[in-house]
Amino acid sequence: MTLHVVVPEESEALPFTVEPGGAQVASKEVPERIHRILAGLLDGGAVLAPPGADETARAERLAEAVHGKELLEHLRHGVPAGAESVLDDAFAAPGLVQETPVTRGVWPAALGAAAAAVRAAGLTARLGEHAYALVRPPGHHAGPGWYGGYCFLNNAVIAARTLQEEGASRVGILDVDYHLGNGTLACVQGDATLPFASVHSTRPDDFPYSFEPGPGLFGAGADPGPEGFAALVGDALSHVRGHDAEALVVSVGFDVLGGDPHGSWSLAPEVFGPVAALVAEQRLPTVFVQEGGYGLPSLRGAARALALEASR
């Protein structure tokens, strides 16, 4: 099995985010993340996908099916003349204050990430092999009418919709990022063709701060340890398979690892070997989509562990 890696054109880092108290802090969503993850994936046997057709138009069409018109117009044209960025609570997730700015470079960067997710899904559908959309900005906090948490367009849902257009009736979405993919949850809620399962922290001081229980949500209030984490992933996969998924999208978050500035767990990079093995055991066409992971020293090892199993 070949793991094909799709990497969009590099975009600039977000200049800053805003903490709950209002202080501006330098963003940790930086290009170096992708460089290190790519090196690990290639170490583990993945291969760069060859140049393909431009999927930008398809990605924009699917984004319009996933997200509301007002949100997309804000991402395209929301920065006022003479300003470099805008922070608008009107597009914050319900109950949250906006902490992620929209800059002039956000729209091409977000659309480029979505196009890479579309291309990865197309490769998986056509070749019957796994693909990895190594994208930034991430997407799983982007909901139908909101953005936040570094996320602007929901790449995982766009990848799932692509797989459906390519012939899969039901596409499961598994999110193993440290943070609940509140945007993904909202985008697929009520749609039986996109069963969703998430393994995430439920500490009240972890974004998105509010965690309602529900089917497919496998939260941990404290560090689950490697065996506990793998067990939760197994439970989440069982939930997705129980809904007769024919293909799978995995939102990959390396922020579950020890030392991540946006996490609190102590998992080692090698934990993504067993996680990827559990995914491979499902024998489903799978698209991995990059979400979080901001502890630079651990990224290469985690990506290598994942690729070694996903490439078997």
Side-chain angles (χ1 to χ4, degrees), residues 158-288:
I158 289 171
R161 291 299 187 198
T162 304
L163 289 169
Q164 288 185 315
E165 287 192 344
E166 297 289 338
S169 297
R170 292 174 180 260
V171 179
I173 303 177
L174 168 67
D175 192 322
V176 296
D177 189 277
Y178 178 83
H179 304 92
L180 171 64
N182 58 322
T184 305
L185 176 62
C187 286
V188 305
Q189 209 151 29
D191 187 344
T193 71
L194 295 177
F196 174 68
S198 174
V199 177
H200 54 272
S201 168
T202 55
R203 293 197 323 161
D205 52 349
D206 284 328
F207 190 90
Y209 312 119
S210 178
F211 305 94
E212 298 293 333
L217 302 184
F218 298 89
D223 188 343
E227 292 182 0
F229 184 64
L232 288 169
V233 171
D235 291 342
L237 283 166
S238 294
H239 173 82
V240 168
R241 290 307 301 267
H243 288 75
D244 299 321
E246 300 167 12
L248 186 62
V249 173
V250 180
S251 280
V252 179
F254 294 133
D255 43 7
V256 300
L257 301 176
D260 192 280
H262 288 315
S264 69
W265 294 350
S266 60
L267 303 180
E270 291 75 20
V271 76
F272 277 91
V275 167
L278 286 168
V279 171
E281 287 173 8
Q282 310 308 307
R283 300 188 179 278
L284 293 174
T286 299
V287 181
F288 298 91

Side-chain angles (χ1 to χ4, degrees), residues 101-120:
V102 169
T103 65
R104 296 194 180 281
V106 154
W107 178 248
L111 188 58
V118 168
R119 182 155 177 255

Side-chain angles (χ1 to χ4, degrees), residues 37 39-45 254 299-309:
I37 295 169
L41 292 172
L42 298 179
D43 284 349
F254 294 133
L299 296 180
R300 183 168 184 162
R304 180 179 185 275
L306 184 151
L308 283 170
E309 292 296 335

